[in-house]
Structure formats: structure tokens, C-alpha cells
Amino acid sequence: MNSDSDLQIAGDILEVPHLLQAPREHPATVAEFAGLARSVAADRSQWEHLVRFDAASRWYHRLRTGPGYEVWLLSWVPGQGSGLHDHGPSSGVLTVLDGALTERAGRSTRALGAGAQRVFAPGYAHEVVNDSLEPAVSLHVYYPGLTEMPMLSRGGTPNARCSVAEVAGVAEVAEVS
């Protein structure tokens, strides 16, 4: 008669390759995308020298691309905001790197300080604003890569669509009708 105490594994279980998952080449889960954002945020040498502040319009820079995802760096001077929008078919992770931002979604308002993260699914509509008196910087990871950003009216209906196109190697966001 066998019992659990009679069961022994001979040798090193880690030597059985079919039981081990191969390491992933790129993030595949929400937790891994949030982890990617945290690791980029922690290494200021990757992004800090790139940040620009523009009083006329929000500044953004595509920092990195990977298999099916993009990482964007955005800056916000006081008073700048995104307008109410969603991200089309993309999911995302928003991470505040410096300063503070306010996120408005539906009837809720969230204050997001440095280090705060928000994860959102496709179709999630929100507005992000710098309501503070200091500039802010945020990091955005999109999966799949951002292809559109429908701008919405306060009632949630589309009033414009922004498409993301690559022009001469530089990502550019343009409003289309």
C-alpha cells in the first residue's frame, strides 16, 4: 500500500525540461506589462534625458517597441490634459514617473502621484489631466501597440479619432475625421 510519504522523486526535478516553462521573450500578462513599466520607470537613464515640456501641446515620445507592444513617454505641464478618450483595441498600463496627474473616468476621479499605476482594458474611457502646479511625466505601455485613440464627448460618443502613424521613423499622432 502506497501513501504520500512513500512517493519520492529521484534526481533533480528541474532537469525534466517538459515540466519547465520556457522564459518569455516579451511580456504576455497584465502583471508582466505592469512589471515592464515599473522596470523602465526605475531606470531613469532610459528616459529622463528625453523628456521635453511644451506649453503649446502635450509632448510624447515612443520610447520602445516590442513584439506587439509599445512604450510611450509623455510630459504634462500644469493645466494640460488628454481630453476624454479610449485606446481602441489596446490595453494599457499608465505609470506616473514624476509629478502628479488626475484621472477622470465616468463619475470617479483619482489622484495619481509618482509611482502610481493604472491598468486598463480596451475601450476604457478616461481623461488624464495635470491639475497640479508642477510639471508631470508619465509612461504608457500599450498592448497591442496603439493604433487609434478615439476622442469622446462627455456623453461617451466619439467626436474625433486620432490615428497613430509612423512618419520618417518618428511616431506621430494625428486627428482624422
Side-chain angles (χ1 to χ4, degrees):
M1 185 167 181
N2 285 341
S3 70
D4 287 340
S5 62
D6 293 334
L7 178 63
Q8 294 184 4
I9 297 173
D12 184 355
I13 191 65
L14 297 179
E15 292 296 322
V16 185
H18 69 279
L19 296 177
L20 300 176
Q21 288 186 354
R24 293 196 177 118
E25 293 181 29
H26 58 84
T29 66
V30 171
E32 289 171 348
F33 281 110
L36 169 65
R38 282 192 303 276
S39 70
V40 173
D43 186 358
R44 295 181 77 89
S45 68
Q46 287 187 49
W47 56 267
E48 192 170 40
H49 65 284
L50 299 170
V51 176
R52 304 288 179 266
F53 295 97
D54 185 339
S57 66
R58 275 187 311 126
W59 174 89
Y60 48 86
H61 172 75
R62 187 165 52 194
L63 188 61
R64 180 190 302 181
T65 60
Y69 72 90
E70 296 177 333
V71 179
W72 289 80
L73 186 63
L74 284 77
S75 71
W76 313 75
V77 298
Q80 284 182 334
S82 65
L84 183 63
H85 67 282
D86 70 31
H87 303 91
S90 300
S91 296
V93 179
L94 178 157
T95 304
V96 179
L97 302 177
D98 283 328
L101 296 171
T102 301
E103 181 195 37
R104 297 182 184 106
R107 294 182 181 184
S108 68
T109 299
R110 289 178 188 83
L112 305 171
Q117 282 191 310
R118 294 284 296 148
V119 175
F120 52 87
Y124 176 73
H126 68 162
E127 176 179 27
V128 179
V129 180
N130 182 351
D131 284 333
S132 77
L133 299 176
E134 299 295 325
V137 180
S138 59
L139 185 81
H140 303 247
V141 179
Y142 299 108
Y143 178 83
L146 195 61
T147 57
E148 62 182 72
M149 197 174 88
M151 301 304 293
L152 307 170
S153 68
R154 289 285 164 216
T157 58
N159 59 4
R161 189 176 84 247
C162 292
S163 67
V164 179
E166 189 157 329
V167 179
V170 177
E172 175 177 291
V173 179
E175 188 173 314
V176 295
S177 51

